[in-house]
Amino acid sequence: MDLLASELHRVEALRFGEFVLKSGLVSPVYVDLRVIISYPALLNKVAHLLFQTTRDAGIQYDSVCGVPYTALPLATIICSANQIPMLIRRKEAKGHGTKRIVEGIINAGETCLIIEDVVTTGSSVLETAEVLRKEGLNVTDAIVLLDREQGGEAMLAKNGIHLHSVCTLTKVLKILEQQNKVASVMVMKVERFIQENISKPSGENGATSIKRTCKEMSFGARAELPGTHPLAVRLLRLMEKKQSNLCLSADVTKSSELLQLAAVLGPSICILKTHIDILEDFTLEVIKELRRLADQHEFLIFEDRKFADIGNTVKHQYEGGVFKIASWSDIVNAHVVPGPGVVKGLKAIGQPLQRGCLLIGEMSSEGSLATGEYTKAAVKMAEEHSDFVLGFISGSRIVEKPEFLHLTPGVQMQAGGDSFGQKYLSPQEVIGKKGSDIIIVGRGILAAPSRLEEAETYRKAAWESYLQRVGVSTQV
C-alpha cells in the first residue's frame, strides 16, 4: 500500500492545494485517477489490487461492469486476465442499431460486480447499479480503489450495495505524511474538509443531505444526486464545463441558417432549441449535421414540440412521421392538459433512448392559463415520472427539488414585451431572483448585428447571476 500511495502521488493522481470541485466547494485535495491509463504498470497494479480485494472479500458474482469512464480500462484488465464476462454500461443509448444501454451478454438473475476508481457520495456507482438492475441483474457489491470517506459507503449500503475499498483517502494521506510527501498541516486540512463535507442518506428515495457553505447547491452538486435524471446529469456537467446556462432558441426557417447558428454559437450554449416544423427545407441530412455539431460543441438539442395529445398519438408523433424527433432530439417538452398519458406515451419511446422531457409549468405569454392548479398538476406529474421528466419550462422555480431543472423563455437584456403578448425578463431577474437554471433566448440574439457577441453577453450575464446565487467565487 505504501508503494501504491507513493506512485499515485508521483503521477499526480493526488494533488494538494486549492481546487474548486463540481459541487462548488473549495477542496484542499484533488483526486484524478484518469491519469493512470498513461502508466501501464500502475494501471495493471491497480487492477490487480481491485481483483485481490474482491477475492479477499469472498464476493460471488457472474460478471463485471466498470463505472464509465475511468473504471472501464480497470474492468477490462480484470476480466481479460481472469476470464470473467464483462458488461459495458453506456452513459446514453445510441439512436441506432440495438439502442442498448448495456452492452454484453445479459443473463437476468445473475449477479454483476461494479468496479469504480473513486467513491465520494456513491452516486455514480448507484446510477450504474440502477441501470443494471433494470436489465434484470442483481447488484450487491462494488469494489473501489479509493474511498474519499464522504458518505458513499453509507449511501450504497442504504441501496443494498456493499462497498469494498482497496484504501481510504485518510490512509493514503497518513502514508504520504510518513514519506514526507505531504505536510502535516495539509493532512489536517484534508481531514477537516472530509469531516465537514460528508453526505448522509435521508428520505425514502435515497437522496443525500450535504453540509454546504454555499447558499444552495451548485449545478455540479445537483449532478451528483442519485435522483437526478441521467440526461440532466449530463447537462449539468456540461454546463459547469462550458460555464454556460444559455439555451439558444433557433427559430429560423432555413436549414443553412440553423446549421450556421449551431456551428458559430455552439461553444457558447448548453442547449439549442429547435422548432423543426418551421424549416422550409427540412431533410434528415440536415438533422444528421446538426447532431454532429451538437456532439462537436457539446450542447443538447431540444425540440420545442409541446406535445399535447393522447399517449398513443404522441408516441407516433415522437417516433415517426417526417421528423422522427426521438432519433435526434435529446429533450422534448409537453403540456400536462391531456393528463399523464402524454408522458407515458413519450416515455415509451424516449426512455430506451435515454431521452428526457420537460413539462410546461408556466408560459411567458400574457394571459397564459398555465398558472395555479395547472402548475401544481405539472409538478405532481413530473414527480410521478421523474425517470423521464427532468424539469420544467417555467417563468421561475416552481418546485424546491434540486433534481429538477427549470428553463425560462422570454429573456432579453431589457425587460418589456412585444405586440403579441410575449413578456421579457432579464437574465439577472430570471436566474438570480426567480431561481431558474437556464435562460432561453431567441430574438435577443438573432436580431443582434453580431450574434456571437450577443450570445456571449447573455452567457456571461446568466452565468454570473448563477454564481452569485449559489455563492461560489469566480476565482478558481
Side-chain angles (χ1 to χ4, degrees):
M1 194 57 63
D2 289 15
L3 180 58
L4 174 66
S6 179
E7 282 294 291
L8 292 175
H9 183 266
R10 181 182 68 83
V11 302
E12 296 188 332
L14 293 170
R15 286 182 280 170
F16 299 90
E18 286 194 353
F19 307 91
V20 178
L21 303 179
K22 287 185 294 187
S23 63
L25 296 175
V26 179
S27 171
V29 62
Y30 185 69
V31 181
D32 181 11
L33 291 177
R34 289 169 294 189
V35 299
I36 68 174
I37 62 174
S38 297
Y39 301 89
L42 180 57
L43 182 66
N44 278 284
K45 181 178 180 61
V46 168
H48 173 75
L49 287 170
L50 288 165
F51 181 67
Q52 190 60 49
T53 301
T54 303
R55 295 186 65 179
D56 293 344
I59 302 170
Q60 300 296 314
Y61 55 96
D62 303 292
S63 59
V64 167
C65 181
V67 176
Y69 289 106
T70 309
L72 289 180
L74 294 169
T76 302
I77 293 171
I78 290 170
C79 291
S80 178
N82 299 282
Q83 298 297 293
I84 302 168
M86 177 177 167
L87 300 175
I88 296 177
R89 176 212 149 202
R90 293 183 180 275
K91 283 202 169 183
E92 59 178 5
K94 294 290 185 182
H96 56 273
T98 62
K99 303 180 182 180
R100 294 175 62 178
I101 193 67
V102 179
E103 300 292 352
I105 304 300
I106 299 171
N107 297 311
E110 291 189 347
T111 299
C112 184
L113 173 69
I114 292 178
I115 302 291
E116 178 63 304
D117 60 331
V118 182
V119 164
T120 304
T121 65
S123 60
S124 294
V125 171
L126 187 57
E127 185 179 306
T128 297
E130 289 173 348
V131 171
L132 295 172
R133 285 168 171 171
K134 285 180 180 178
E135 297 287 340
L137 295 166
N138 298 317
V139 179
T140 57
D141 296 87
I143 304 292
V144 63
L145 176 66
L146 184 67
D147 181 3
R148 285 189 59 128
E149 305 167 286
Q150 289 178 254
E153 184 175 7
M155 170 58 69
L156 293 172
K158 182 180 176 66
N159 288 275
I161 301 171
H162 186 188
L163 181 67
H164 311 263
S165 60
V166 174
C167 54
T168 63
L169 182 54
T170 300
K171 186 173 182 179
V172 171
L173 284 172
K174 292 298 184 184
I175 293 173
L176 294 176
E177 182 183 16
Q178 292 170 3
Q179 295 175 346
N180 296 317
K181 289 183 169 65
V182 179
S184 299
V185 174
M186 179 57 73
V187 172
M188 292 174 61
K189 193 174 182 179
V190 174
E191 289 177 338
R192 184 166 60 250
F193 175 82
I194 292 172
Q195 290 303 314
E196 291 178 351
N197 294 280
I198 295 177
S199 301
K200 295 181 180 180
S202 62
E204 293 300 317
N205 62 352
T208 58
S209 171
I210 306 174
K211 182 176 179 181
R212 292 189 50 76
T213 57
C214 299
K215 294 177 183 177
E216 62 174 67
M217 296 183 75
S218 70
F219 294 147
R222 290 161 64 181
E224 296 297 322
L225 295 174
T228 304
H229 189 284
L231 187 60
V233 170
R234 180 181 163 199
L235 176 57
L236 288 162
R237 287 175 177 166
L238 74 82
M239 287 161 65
E240 288 273 16
K241 179 180 178 180
K242 299 179 72 173
Q243 297 189 359
S244 175
N245 50 341
L246 170 63
C247 169
L248 172 67
S249 184
D251 297 336
V252 294
T253 59
K254 299 294 184 182
S255 297
S256 58
E257 188 176 3
L258 174 64
L259 296 177
Q260 182 185 38
L261 285 170
V264 175
L265 304 188
S268 299
I269 63 177
C270 62
I271 299 173
L272 186 141
K273 183 173 77 71
T274 60
H275 279 295
I276 206 65
D277 55 357
I278 70 173
L279 280 185
E280 297 172 354
D281 53 352
F282 169 85
T283 66
L284 290 178
E285 284 302 309
V286 171
I287 290 303
K288 183 178 179 181
E289 178 62 13
L290 181 62
R291 187 70 259 173
R292 186 191 69 78
L293 289 168
D295 294 337
Q296 177 184 343
H297 296 302
E298 294 185 285
F299 60 80
L300 300 188
I301 302 175
F302 164 26
E303 166 54 22
D304 190 4
R305 177 62 176 77
K306 296 185 180 70
F307 290 99
D309 215 316
I310 62 172
N312 189 58
T313 298
V314 298
K315 279 177 62 177
H316 292 296
Q317 291 174 327
Y318 188 23
E319 182 180 34
V322 175
F323 301 118
K324 304 187 189 319
I325 296 169
S327 70
W328 53 268
S329 182
D330 300 295
I331 304 169
V332 292
N333 56 357
H335 287 289
V336 301
V337 172
V342 66
V343 176
K344 292 178 181 177
L346 294 171
K347 182 164 67 172
I349 301 300
Q351 192 174 40
L353 299 174
Q354 291 293 290
R355 306 303 190 198
C357 179
L358 300 168
L359 294 183
I360 299 168
E362 296 174 332
M363 295 187 72
S364 57
S365 53
E366 186 177 356
S368 167
L369 301 179
T371 59
E373 292 303 314
Y374 175 96
T375 300
K376 290 180 182 178
V379 171
K380 184 175 183 293
M381 197 177 296
E383 292 173 339
E384 291 173 348
H385 298 278
S386 60
D387 56 345
F388 184 60
V389 177
L390 54 89
F392 306 92
I393 299 294
S394 57
S396 62
R397 183 183 300 177
I398 60 176
V399 61
E400 293 296 332
K401 287 192 174 183
E403 293 87 350
F404 287 120
L405 288 162
H406 293 81
L407 287 74
T408 298
V411 177
Q412 287 200 6
M413 285 302 178
Q414 299 298 323
D418 66 11
S419 59
F420 295 98
Q422 174 69 287
K423 296 181 293 183
Y424 293 111
L425 295 173
S426 70
Q428 293 82 0
E429 176 80 11
V430 168
I431 303 297
K433 295 181 181 180
K434 299 286 188 179
S436 190
D437 299 308
I438 297 170
I439 61 171
I440 302 176
V441 185
R443 280 173 277 184
I445 292 173
L446 299 182
S450 172
R451 290 172 169 178
L452 178 57
E453 289 182 10
E454 196 68 8
E456 276 296 293
T457 299
Y458 276 96
R459 182 193 67 78
K460 290 175 183 177
W463 190 254
E464 287 296 328
S465 298
Y466 154 70
L467 291 178
Q468 290 172 17
R469 188 179 85 193
V470 299
V472 179
S473 171
T474 57
Q475 300 276 326
V476 177

